[in-house]
Amino acid sequence: MIDCSRMTGIQVDPDQRIVRAQPGVLIRDLDRETQALGLAVPGGFISSTGLAGLTLGGGFGYLSRRCGLTVDNLISVDLVTADGDRVRASDDQNAELFWGLKGGGGNFGVASSFEFRLHDLGPTVLAGPVVHDFDDAPEVLRQVSRVFESLPESVSCLPVLRYAPPAPFIPEQYHGRLILLLAMIHTGDPEAGESALAPLRLIGRPLADAVGPKPYCAFQAMFDKTAAHGARNYWKGHYLDELNDGAIDALCAQAARMPSKESSIGMLSLGGAVSRKQDTDSPYPHRSAQWVLNIQARWREMAEDRTHIDWARATFESVDPHATGGVYVNFLSEDEGEARVRAAYGEDTHSRLVALKRQWDPENRFHLNQNIRPGGS
Ligand SMILES: Cc1cc2nc3c(=O)[nH]c(=O)nc-3n(C[C@H](O)[C@H](O)[C@H](O)COP(=O)(O)OP(=O)(O)OC[C@H]3O[C@@H](n4cnc5c(N)ncnc54)[C@H](O)[C@@H]3O)c2cc1C
């Protein structure tokens, strides 16, 4: 294992509106440095996620509907290859390698530096959670799905089915009970925030509404405690073209059977700028999906592994008829095998990645990953 965690350099160039970051950087480090100047790169929604792995798989988060995937904002990558050579990949240099690095994972070398385009943001944004009783979850999710079709790209929402944490904004009698939490943010012109988020906030009869002006960095860290180190985890993922009635009913039924108070089912809104790029622009062929589903089983005792893994798998199966069949390469679990890696890319993209792998890593030195085998299957 090559440990890059001490490579944490970040250089922001506000005039050029670019940032260079080393591979040990976490999303929160990047947000801190760029937000000091009111700028941002779209990253994931848990701020302790590593920038390198997230970027090399595609990368999405709250800013993606407005600004695209993390890789849509990538300008160049410096890479140490399997031969030990140092190369730069960009649209102008090693362009095919650059294409492969925008979703092909750690298959082609060790990234030693990333360069990204920056967007204006905040640093204060209108954002926060709105909490609903679990009994209302199916109807609220139906309405979220309906209103989303007319919401601007500056609005993003992450509905989460989970047990309520003892957070001060949730009435005490709901702590430890199943809830539907809608994490929402407006990432555009602050003046337009209230009216842009209103259609989501007006749905149903919320138990709590903690939406308000807050630092983007604080909102990005909202779920960090739910992903702190030390627990056992098993994830499954799907993409959905729409949050339809069948998917909503299946997810709510499985949430009611959730065997751990730490598990959750999250659905992040995509579309917008993500969908405007072509599937062939990067090895991320899920551009048309409007939602990405993340089934997170999380528990403490090894003796309970079977129970929680079975729940995650059953949840995945129950939504399968409503899903696209694709999967985000960064949400694959270790046991999912080569067929799922192919599903993450689709046949055409996978073949193109295999050709690239043959060129840059023919002996498959980098294979402890979602592996693209140089020999194909
Ligand atoms: C709690 C949590 C929340 C998440 N939320 C999101 C989200 O909102 N959006 C999203 O898009 N993804 C999300 N993810 C998925 C995340 O993108 C992947 O887990 C990603 O692999 C994390 O990268 P890392 O650098 O932290 O991981 P690591 O475990 O360090 O790396 C994972 C793999 O990436 C490759 N890699 C890492 N660094 C390099 C490098 N320098 N050069 C070459 N290859 C490298 C290697 O193959 C490595 O095995 C989340 C994951 C977690 C655990």
Side-chain angles (χ1 to χ4, degrees), residues 2 4 23-26 43-46 48-62 70 79 105-112 114 226-227 235 268 294 296 328 330-331 366 368-370:
I2 298 168
C4 301
V25 164
L26 305 181
F45 51 78
I46 302 275
S48 56
T49 309
L51 176 69
L54 177 130
T55 301
L56 293 167
F60 45 66
Y62 294 119
T70 310
L79 196 76
N107 273 289
F108 305 107
V110 181
S112 57
F114 299 88
T226 68
W235 289 22
L268 178 70
N294 187 11
Q296 285 189 36
Y328 179 37
N330 276 351
F331 283 174
F366 302 110
L368 297 175
N369 46 29
Q370 306 304 348

Side-chain angles (χ1 to χ4, degrees), residues 295-344:
I295 302 159
Q296 285 189 36
R298 185 177 159 88
W299 67 102
R300 299 283 157 175
E301 300 300 329
M302 192 192 285
E304 296 175 7
D305 285 5
R306 190 76 279 135
T307 305
H308 301 284
I309 291 173
D310 283 353
W311 171 81
R313 289 181 176 160
T315 306
F316 173 86
E317 294 297 336
S318 71
V319 195
D320 191 53
H322 312 284
T324 63
V327 62
Y328 179 37
V329 70
N330 276 351
F331 283 174
L332 284 176
S333 286
E334 242 170 307
D335 62 345
E336 299 211 69
E338 202 200 336
R340 290 288 279 163
V341 176
R342 280 170 178 267

Side-chain angles (χ1 to χ4, degrees), residues 324-376:
T324 63
V327 62
Y328 179 37
V329 70
N330 276 351
F331 283 174
L332 284 176
S333 286
E334 242 170 307
D335 62 345
E336 299 211 69
E338 202 200 336
R340 290 288 279 163
V341 176
R342 280 170 178 267
Y345 293 119
E347 283 305 317
D348 292 350
T349 303
H350 188 262
S351 301
R352 194 169 159 188
L353 287 169
V354 169
L356 200 59
K357 181 79 172 176
R358 279 195 193 124
Q359 184 185 349
W360 290 96
D361 185 16
E363 289 168 19
N364 205 5
R365 183 179 297 269
F366 302 110
H367 63 277
L368 297 175
N369 46 29
Q370 306 304 348
N371 197 224
I372 312 287
R373 294 187 202 176

